[in-house]
Amino acid sequence: MTEVVLGVCGGIAAYKACELLRLFTESGHGVRVVPTASALKFVGEPTWAALSGRPVATEVWDDAHEVPHVRIGRAADLVVVAPATADLLAKAAHGIADDLLTNTLLTATCPIVYAPAMHTEMWENPATRANVATLRERGAIVIEPAVGRLTGADTGKGRLPEPAAIFELAVRVHRKGLAGRRVVITAGGTREPLDPVRFIGNRSSGKQGYALATAAAARGASVTLIAANVTLPDPAGVDIVRVGTTEELRAATVKAAGEADLIVMAAAPADFRPAVVATQKIKKTDSGTPEAITLVTNPDIAAELGAGKRPGQVLVAFAAETHDALEHARAKLTKKRADLIVVNDGVDRVFGADHNEVTLLGADGSMAEYGQLPKADVADMILDHAIALLERQVGSGGTA
């Protein structure tokens, strides 16, 4: 059982921390809630005690003989602050310890995750940005806020991510290796319009790409997730770029890849698109025989990125095959100049499923097979291999 300290700051989003607390306790973690005095104006101490099944720590002076301002931080395996206000981020960045929560942050030697929630102007203020950068440089995970409804009628970036997304990220932070890295991940399936209502597409749900984005953010990376027609909840801590067609996916990925250390092409772009897109819905003919649709080939995004790959940059490609999977994947690995390719053999077991079964082929001739696992675990396996490649390139003189 992991010992979790849940710090709660004074903001309207404090009520969402109740759901986060429930997720931790129901999955077997022991949780000590440490709310600030302001947080208790939003959610009272009895609520935290009832949900955690433990006494609530609120004051440095309570049970002073047990030295709580030191003991709580030392005993923690994980600290999560949700919501984290601009004030708390500033105090944490500058080492200010004027209450029990900030003292706990100074004494904790375990991973710390901050889930900010504040108005857009506060989040974008240069002071807050500098404080966030400082915390990240020290190894803390500061989740990017979500975009949505804020206090009152305001809308923008600054909304607390959904508790389930925070939980999914937080429970994976013990895996490290990407702190300070920039990671680009694509997910989902592109759609190529035939007419205003029809398209050519595929069955990719985006689940594996979203799992990769969550895992990379949990490891400390700055993640850009380029999502093609995905309807999943936004993962916490990532910047999302939404696209529809393969050309849109290409443009967004090429733009984001320039500064990336790691690029993971988990999306399923359509290989072909109609040469001409009808401006009106295509109607049935009297003969019942449809007019032929001429297709043209879409760009190979991974191959383009592989050809332009800079020293130290790692490219991971995907191959979903229905037959001769390893043979086709090895050919793609060479053609795309990828460092690693993730092979799915049999799409019926992959698209839309919560589990995946993959083989990883390396450009160095290595091969690793993984039986059916949850896609979150597959994401960690892929990142473990990618991180080893990044470290190897740095060790050989590359500049990742």
Side-chain angles (χ1 to χ4, degrees), residues 192-194 200 272-278 282 290-297:
E192 307 298 335
L194 290 166
I200 297 174
F272 310 101
R273 70 181 187 274
V276 177
V277 179
I282 300 171
E291 295 183 11
I293 297 173
T294 302
L295 299 177
V296 296
T297 302

Side-chain angles (χ1 to χ4, degrees), residues 8 36 57 73 77 99 104 128 136 159 163-164 166 194-195 200 234 240 250 292 310 339 359 362 384:
V8 185
T36 65
D77 299 307
D99 64 5
T104 298
T128 303
R136 285 173 172 166
R159 179 182 175 89
I166 299 173
L194 290 166
D195 62 24
I200 297 174
D234 293 347
I240 300 180
R250 176 197 166 275
R310 58 175 170 74
D339 300 284
T359 300
D384 285 343

Side-chain angles (χ1 to χ4, degrees), residues 11-13 118-119 148-155 159:
I12 190 64
M118 63 195 73
H119 272 73
R149 183 71 176 268
L150 306 174
T151 305
D154 293 340
T155 300
R159 179 182 175 89

Side-chain angles (χ1 to χ4, degrees), residues 22-189:
R22 186 188 66 80
L23 291 170
F24 276 118
T25 56
E26 290 190 355
S27 58
H29 301 282
V31 185
R32 172 60 62 90
V33 181
V34 183
T36 65
S38 296
L40 293 174
K41 294 181 179 294
F42 291 93
V43 181
E45 184 176 336
T47 299
W48 301 121
L51 291 175
S52 67
R54 292 184 173 185
V56 176
T58 60
E59 294 286 347
V60 172
W61 309 108
D62 291 344
D63 299 318
H65 64 287
E66 295 182 357
V67 198
H69 71 289
V70 174
R71 177 179 52 81
I72 293 174
R74 283 180 177 173
D77 299 307
L78 173 67
V79 176
V80 180
V81 184
T85 59
D87 179 67
L88 184 282
L89 295 175
K91 289 178 178 178
H94 290 85
I96 297 173
D98 61 357
D99 64 5
L100 185 56
L101 178 55
T102 49
N103 272 273
T104 298
L105 295 173
L106 278 182
T107 56
T109 58
C110 61
I112 301 176
V113 177
Y114 297 91
M118 63 195 73
H119 272 73
T120 306
E121 294 84 356
M122 299 173 73
W123 174 251
E124 295 177 348
N125 188 283
T128 303
R129 304 309 302 157
N131 292 331
V132 168
T134 296
L135 291 170
R136 285 173 172 166
E137 288 169 5
R138 294 174 184 164
I141 306 296
V142 184
I143 299 174
E144 289 289 314
V147 176
R149 183 71 176 268
L150 306 174
T151 305
D154 293 340
T155 300
K157 188 169 187 176
R159 179 182 175 89
L160 185 73
E162 291 304 309
I166 299 173
F167 173 77
E168 186 65 29
L169 183 150
V171 295
R172 310 191 82 81
V173 299
H174 288 282
R175 291 178 179 262
K176 296 292 186 181
L178 288 174
R181 301 283 195 178
R182 293 182 178 272
V183 177
V184 173
I185 298 171
T186 66

